[in-house]
Amino acid sequence: MYHHSGSVTQQAAGSPTGVLDARGTDRAVAMVYQRCTWCGTAMYHRLLCPVCQCSELRTEHSEGIGTVRHSTVLHRNTPAARNVSLIEMAEGFVVRGRVMGPPIGIHSGDRVRLSTAQDPVRGEPVFQMLDEPFRAWT
């Protein structure tokens, strides 16, 4: 059984391949995206392929692993600073979302994974860092 909220699909508790969420229940998280049936381009929330303009798009599920391509810190309209990041997913599409953690600690090249959390304000996907990046302090 799947529960759908925006672009993130969550499988009901008891999945053997799930991710442990904050409440301690087993829950698989998958991001839904599209792939053009004509040229094979992967995209996120489109009506037409941005490359060939084809309208025949099939729905696929992402593994939820990606790399931060750009991250910026926003201070307006929020009580605290937050980040907005562009994440390039392993399947080849780019999605806008938020990475958990201190906003100034997120950099291009950081590897992230889709989280079970959801952004309550924007409804965008939320990601968590896969590993602690090594930063040389000079």
Side-chain angles (χ1 to χ4, degrees):
M1 177 178 191
Y2 287 92
H3 303 285
H4 183 44
S5 173
S7 61
V8 177
T9 304
Q10 297 180 338
Q11 191 172 2
S15 167
T17 60
V19 176
L20 197 62
D21 73 3
R23 292 181 300 269
T25 60
D26 203 20
R27 182 183 270 193
V29 178
M31 178 178 288
V32 176
Y33 69 100
Q34 299 125 320
R35 187 170 300 278
C36 178
T37 58
W38 193 74
C39 72
T41 301
M43 68 212 76
Y44 187 70
H45 285 283
R46 297 285 188 127
L47 297 174
L48 298 174
C49 174
V51 174
C52 70
Q53 302 303 308
C54 179
S55 63
E56 296 178 30
L57 309 175
R58 71 176 177 264
T59 301
E60 296 186 5
H61 296 276
S62 170
E63 292 293 321
I65 305 296
T67 303
V68 175
R69 287 296 162 226
H70 178 75
S71 187
T72 189
V73 178
L74 297 179
H75 297 277
R76 64 174 185 228
N77 299 332
T78 60
R82 65 180 182 86
N83 76 69
V84 174
S85 300
L86 292 179
I87 311 295
E88 183 177 334
M89 303 303 291
E91 294 81 7
F93 65 96
V94 176
V95 63
R96 181 179 138 163
R98 184 173 62 83
V99 179
M100 291 190 286
I104 60 169
I106 298 149
H107 300 86
S108 295
D110 289 345
R111 293 178 350 125
V112 294
R113 173 182 38 187
L114 184 63
S115 172
T116 56
Q118 292 180 0
D119 188 314
V121 177
R122 303 266 183 228
E124 296 174 331
V126 176
F127 296 86
Q128 61 190 25
M129 300 289 271
L130 265 178
D131 35 44
E132 193 62 35
F134 172 74
R135 306 248 189 266
W137 298 98
T138 56

